[in-house]
């Protein structure tokens, strides 16, 4: 009888070690947006979330993305097309070791550099990105934060949930996009 508490403790330790040793999810592949992003908080105060969904930014990565992942980094690439201009694909790289990664993007008013830090929570990858944006109206810069949570709903379904912190006194918003592999 004295052994059963020790055996239970040993089994708990073995199970914890086995479960925590599980490799992180692999998001590699080409993914296509399955359906429009669903807003879980209204973009405009006083409007229902369903009315806000068509105008939101979804994952912010585009309708077709290609993800490359290894033990050290995750890279997301997508093409931006416009009627007048074909831009080279944008590639964002996020270190998976907890260090800060920087990505620079040419925006309409010049280069914008964003700093991101990624971490794992179980099989969910959380990427927190900080933007420093010039507020030309106020004449000073401000900071905005965006958090992406990525997880596999199935081997062929990637969920990207994005929370955008409220900027300049506006409300925060969260959207969820589902991508299909193929």
């Amino acid at each position: 009888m004295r052994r059963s508490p020790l055996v239970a403790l040993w089994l708990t330790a073995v199970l914890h070690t086995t479960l925590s040793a599980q490799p992180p999810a692999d998001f590699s592949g080409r993914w296509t947006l399955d359906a429009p992003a669903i807003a879980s908080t209204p973009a405009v105060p006083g409007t229902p979330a369903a009315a806000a969904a068509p105008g939101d930014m979804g994952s912010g990565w585009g309708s077709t993305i290609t993800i490359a992942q290894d033990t050290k980094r995750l890279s997301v690439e997508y093409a931006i097309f416009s009627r007048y201009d074909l831009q080279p694909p944008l590639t964002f790289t996020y270190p998976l070791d907890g260090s800060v990664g920087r990505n620079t993007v040419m925006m309409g008013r010049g280069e914008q550099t964003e700093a991101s830090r990624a971490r794992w929570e179980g099989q969910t990858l959380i990427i927190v990105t900080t933007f420093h944006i010039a507020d030309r109206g106020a004449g000073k810069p401000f900071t905005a934060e965006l958090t992406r949570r990525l997880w596999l709903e199935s081997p062929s379904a990637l969920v990207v949930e994005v929370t955008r912190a409220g900027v300049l006194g506006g409300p925060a918003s969260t959207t969820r996009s589902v991508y299909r592999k193929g």
Side-chain angles (χ1 to χ4, degrees):
M1 280 256 209
R2 292 182 139 198
R3 290 185 185 176
S4 74
L6 291 175
V7 169
L9 182 62
W10 179 78
L11 281 174
T12 302
V14 167
L15 278 174
H16 176 72
T17 303
T18 303
L19 291 175
S20 63
Q22 185 179 10
D26 185 359
F27 304 117
S28 298
R30 184 174 169 85
W31 301 88
T32 303
L33 189 61
D34 185 36
I38 300 168
S40 60
T41 32
V44 178
T47 61
D56 70 45
M57 295 177 58
S59 71
W61 283 337
S63 59
T64 301
I65 59 176
T66 302
I67 298 178
Q69 179 181 342
D70 59 31
T71 57
K72 296 181 181 183
R73 71 188 59 84
L74 177 119
S75 295
V76 178
E77 181 180 278
Y78 62 95
I80 294 192
F81 299 97
S82 77
R83 196 177 260 187
Y84 309 103
D85 192 20
L86 174 61
Q87 297 291 324
L90 295 176
T91 302
F92 294 87
T93 302
Y94 306 99
L96 297 176
D97 62 1
S99 64
V100 174
R102 299 198 187 286
N103 291 292
T104 301
V105 180
M106 179 60 82
M107 300 302 281
R109 298 183 183 200
E111 287 186 347
Q112 175 182 318
T113 300
E114 57 184 52
S116 301
R117 189 179 300 265
R119 65 180 160 73
W120 290 98
E121 273 186 15
Q123 294 296 300
T124 300
L125 180 62
I126 300 169
I127 304 170
V128 178
T129 302
T130 304
F131 304 88
H132 299 287
I133 303 166
D135 180 3
R136 295 180 190 251
K140 60 182 179 178
F142 66 93
T143 301
E145 188 174 275
L146 179 135
T147 301
R148 287 185 176 96
R149 295 177 184 277
L150 289 73
W151 70 89
L152 293 174
E153 198 170 66
S154 73
S156 62
L158 168 66
V159 178
V160 180
E161 184 179 87
V162 180
T163 301
R164 291 170 180 81
V167 176
L168 299 174
S173 67
T174 299
T175 57
R176 182 177 289 182
S177 301
V178 178
Y179 288 86
R180 299 286 173 200
K181 196 171 203 173

